[in-house]
Amino acid sequence: MASGGSAIRGSRVGAGPMGEQDRGYHADRIKISYWDALGNETVRYFAANLPLEEIPETIDSPQSGLPAGRDQLNPPSVAKLEPYKTHLAYVKERRTEEEAAQLLEDALAQLRARRGTAAPTTK
């Protein structure tokens, strides 16, 4: 015999003291449309008694994955993607030994100034 859950047979799961008119398809809802940069419209439904400041201004569009906003004429812009860099491009951007030593010296000087110690640097 299969058993599971604590609901009484024949009862509606989720029905409670509030009554069914306050939830599910019977609840009063408002329709909000969102548009992404490609012109896709996404419709979301929110409870009518929800304050307007709790309704999000932007969401992620399920069609494109881009951010979508309520303003149809000025949707959120598409994020700018940086082109793929090769390992050689990263190697060219590396600092020289002198620059790295100077950065380390500056960081150590800031830490010493915070701690109040003026210990000399060792080289």
Side-chain angles (χ1 to χ4, degrees):
M1 180 170 152
S3 64
S6 61
I8 299 169
R9 185 175 190 159
S11 67
R12 297 267 324 251
V13 175
M18 290 173 37
E20 289 193 23
Q21 69 273 10
D22 296 327
R23 65 168 62 87
Y25 292 110
H26 303 289
D28 292 329
R29 299 179 290 166
I30 56 172
K31 173 183 166 182
I32 304 288
S33 293
Y34 293 91
W35 288 271
D36 64 11
L38 301 177
N40 297 322
E41 180 184 11
T42 302
V43 176
R44 296 279 188 232
Y45 293 93
F46 296 94
N49 58 359
L50 190 67
L52 288 178
E53 54 270 2
E54 290 188 23
I55 296 175
E57 288 292 325
T58 60
I59 61 168
D60 289 335
S61 173
Q63 288 93 352
S64 63
L66 300 172
R70 289 196 221 171
D71 189 1
Q72 183 177 9
L73 300 176
N74 298 313
S77 61
V78 178
K80 294 186 179 184
L81 299 175
E82 297 213 6
Y84 174 76
K85 285 185 178 180
T86 62
H87 175 70
L88 184 59
Y90 283 109
V91 170
K92 287 180 181 177
E93 289 181 1
R94 286 186 186 159
R95 293 185 166 86
T96 62
E97 291 296 323
E98 294 81 23
E99 290 174 330
Q102 183 60 40
L103 282 172
L104 178 61
E105 208 47 51
D106 293 342
L108 289 173
Q110 288 177 359
L111 285 173
R112 288 185 186 109
R114 286 185 197 153
R115 293 169 78 187
T117 60
T121 60
T122 59
K123 288 191 178 185

